[in-house]
Amino acid sequence: MWNERYKGDEFAYGIEPNDFLKSKYAYIPKGGKVLCLAEGEGRNAVFLAKQGYEVTAVDLSHVGLQKAEKFALKNGVTIKTVVANLADFDLGKESWDAIVSIAAHVPPPIRKKLHSQVFDALKENGVFILEAFHERQLKMSGIGGPPSKEMLMSLDELEVELHGLEFKIAAEVDRHISEGVHHQGESAVVQIVAMKKVTI
Ligand SMILES: C[S@@+](CC[C@H](N)C(=O)[O-])C[C@H]1O[C@@H](n2cnc3c(N)ncnc32)[C@H](O)[C@@H]1O
């Protein structure tokens, strides 16, 4: 499905970064290493690379990531891409200054396994930034997000899954989204900025 969605010249979610990421990326230590999960065509990865970060983008879709690489070159930056299924992707240990998750909707068992790795995968003072469609999205007029409740997210669940991180922002928000043709209109989202603080 994703390769099919990305095969045209248009960018399915536009070429601008996600609004929440754009407003919060300054939490990420300057020049740091950033992993963008389920990054698709690279709009967020390229934005972060343009801000001076060293960005790796992972996604299931090789078509999306090829487009992301070309988009990076067009913008005068480079990003590293990894074609992988998040179901068995190893985030590593103390590897990232930030992990970014924008509309990265996967089945709950995969999401829980992924999120259970986030604390260890971040360096000290590393940051996790997430925006995803909330379960209430099913009742909203906006377009975007998977059509089943189980693939959507809620703050209660995420706070449990991301246990150990210090939450700076943890909110369920209704907002107008305009990202390409596939994310449009009044939408319900969950937003998180959380940090890895190590206490000795
Ligand atoms: C709604 S798009 C969001 C893309 C990007 N984060 C953005 O904001 O533009 C969801 C992405 O999740 C990816 N994806 C879905 N399931 C995945 C999985 N199991 N492993 C890796 N990527 C996956 C898809 O290929 C797609 O690019």
Side-chain angles (χ1 to χ4, degrees), residues 58-72:
V58 59
D59 199 283
L60 201 56
S61 168
H62 69 277
V63 176
L65 290 181
Q66 277 167 8
K67 244 165 127 178
E69 285 175 9
K70 281 190 196 154
F71 185 49

Side-chain angles (χ1 to χ4, degrees), residues 143-158:
I143 298 165
S148 73
K149 188 178 171 197
E150 69 150 18
M151 292 277 283
L152 294 161
M153 299 190 207
S154 73
L155 196 51
D156 284 351
E157 283 176 325
L158 290 171

Side-chain angles (χ1 to χ4, degrees), residues 16-28 43-44 47-48 51 53 100 102 127 129-131 168-169 173 175 179 189 191-193:
E16 297 299 324
N18 168 264
D19 289 338
F20 182 65
L21 175 64
K22 190 175 177 183
S23 67
K24 304 298 174 214
Y25 79 89
Y27 276 95
I28 306 172
R43 64 193 176 111
N44 303 306
F47 168 76
L48 291 169
Q51 313 310 313
Y53 296 103
V100 170
I102 304 297
V127 186
I129 298 179
L130 173 147
E131 186 179 78
K168 301 290 180 192
I169 296 169
V173 174
R175 74 176 189 94
E179 302 178 326
V189 295
Q191 299 177 330
I192 287 176
V193 174

Side-chain angles (χ1 to χ4, degrees), residues 86-89 91 108-118:
L86 291 175
D88 46 32
F89 186 66
L91 298 187
I110 298 176
R111 190 187 71 226
K112 288 176 204 282
K113 187 176 159 206
L114 187 70
H115 286 168
S116 73
Q117 299 178 62
V118 167

